Amino acid sequence: MNALFCLAVILFILMVVIGGKKGAKSFIALFLNFAVLLLTILIMTDPNANPIILTLIACTIISCINLFFINEVNNKTITAFVSTLITLAILLFFIVVVTEKSMIQGFGEEETEELSMFSLYLGVDFVKIGAAMIIMSTIGAIIDVAISIASPMRELYNHNQQVSRKELFSFGISIGRDILGTNTNTLFFAFFGGYLAMLIWFKDLSYSLGDIDNSKIFSSEMINILCAGIGVALIIPITSWITAYYLDKTREKSH
């Protein structure tokens, strides 16, 4: 029994004890998401495949797993799903342009020694691969914020069906403002946690701040964080408006 299996068992027990049936579904969703990502990467190695289209399909499937499989199909998951797709569509153009203009695609000079024995003529578009990586990195945070806003908005509507669309929208924005700071910090500290060894390496190599800032590895990760932060910021008004609109139209149909 290795450490990975022990940790997985502990996680499963905690998720079931605390989350019940939904916790068990969340645990299964982890492996389903991993399977989707692994299959996407395998197909992406085909030079004829379009990484952007594959990533959008994978993100759509991941959204369905995390929203509909875990929380079932209802008005909060539907609005969260639509909001997620709209936000990804808006981000897509922006991310592709930023990836191409910033030249962060491919490998950094710090990685050349480890890759020197391999051929770099892979026949794939590294600009699209870089954009796909950023999109994949943002999907989790976007889904999390979308459902975190749509769920309390639905609860408010269920307890007070006379609430106006404007009040619902303002309520969603208010929740989003509380979430925005914590999610942005989570993305930032996740970077430092994952790349702490690299930062220590930069210090040992006596990199100046300018060298660090112009390093392809560092720049690509910072752009990744900033794009994810933009996605988190965008999803707040989008989810608030779509959920308020959907709930208001539901009330009109019921009368």
Side-chain angles (χ1 to χ4, degrees):
M1 185 179 294
N2 57 27
L4 290 177
F5 181 77
C6 291
L7 290 173
V9 171
I10 293 172
L11 176 62
F12 175 74
I13 293 172
L14 289 174
M15 292 181 75
V16 171
V17 170
I18 297 174
K21 182 180 178 181
K22 190 171 289 187
K25 285 185 175 182
S26 299
F27 184 81
I28 297 172
L30 290 175
F31 294 93
L32 294 176
N33 290 333
F34 177 76
V36 172
L37 291 175
L38 184 61
L39 180 61
T40 303
I41 293 171
L42 291 175
I43 299 175
M44 203 176 287
T45 55
D46 183 355
N48 297 318
N50 189 319
I52 302 297
I53 295 177
L54 284 174
T55 302
L56 289 177
I57 294 173
C59 288
T60 302
I61 296 173
I62 290 171
S63 299
C64 291
I65 292 171
N66 289 296
L67 292 173
F68 300 133
F69 174 70
I70 297 175
N71 298 289
E72 300 178 349
V73 179
N74 49 57
N75 49 18
K76 70 177 180 181
T77 54
I78 291 173
T79 54
F81 178 73
V82 173
S83 303
T84 300
L85 295 186
I86 292 174
T87 304
L88 284 177
I90 295 172
L91 273 179
L92 176 61
F93 174 77
F94 175 76
I95 289 174
V96 171
V97 171
V98 168
T99 303
E100 186 172 359
K101 296 296 182 183
S102 60
M103 302 293 290
I104 60 171
Q105 69 274 9
F107 304 102
E109 60 181 10
E110 293 84 4
E111 301 168 303
T112 54
E113 183 178 349
E114 299 167 353
L115 297 170
S116 58
M117 66 184 75
F118 301 105
S119 173
L120 299 180
Y121 297 99
L122 304 179
V124 296
D125 189 338
F126 274 96
V127 174
K128 293 181 179 179
I129 294 292
M133 179 191 69
I134 296 175
I135 295 170
M136 284 287 191
S137 302
T138 62
I139 184 65
I142 289 174
I143 293 173
D144 180 51
V145 175
I147 194 66
S148 297
I149 293 174
S151 182
M153 286 182 69
R154 189 189 72 161
E155 290 301 316
L156 174 64
Y157 173 79
N158 289 339
H159 286 83
N160 180 16
Q161 295 194 3
Q162 303 304 315
V163 64
S164 66
R165 185 190 301 182
K166 183 178 179 180
E167 289 172 332
L168 281 169
F169 177 77
S170 298
F171 181 70
I173 293 293
S174 178
I175 296 169
R177 286 170 180 163
D178 294 333
I179 297 173
L180 182 60
T182 55
N183 270 268
T184 306
N185 277 307
T186 299
L187 295 169
F188 181 75
F189 288 117
F191 162 74
F192 272 94
Y195 282 83
L196 184 60
M198 183 190 71
L199 296 174
I200 294 173
W201 186 36
F202 282 160
K203 180 182 180 300
D204 290 339
L205 293 175
S206 301
Y207 271 36
S208 65
L209 289 176
D211 292 332
I212 295 174
D213 185 56
N214 287 285
S215 170
K216 183 176 286 189
I217 298 176
F218 181 82
S219 298
S220 63
E221 288 304 317
M222 289 306 298
I223 290 173
N224 197 337
I225 293 171
L226 294 173
C227 288
I230 291 171
V232 169
L234 280 175
I235 193 70
I236 293 171
I238 291 174
T239 304
S240 299
W241 188 87
I242 290 177
T243 305
Y245 176 84
Y246 181 87
L247 294 175
D248 188 54
K249 289 297 181 181
T250 301
R251 176 173 52 201
E252 290 178 1
K253 290 179 180 179
S254 63
H255 291 317

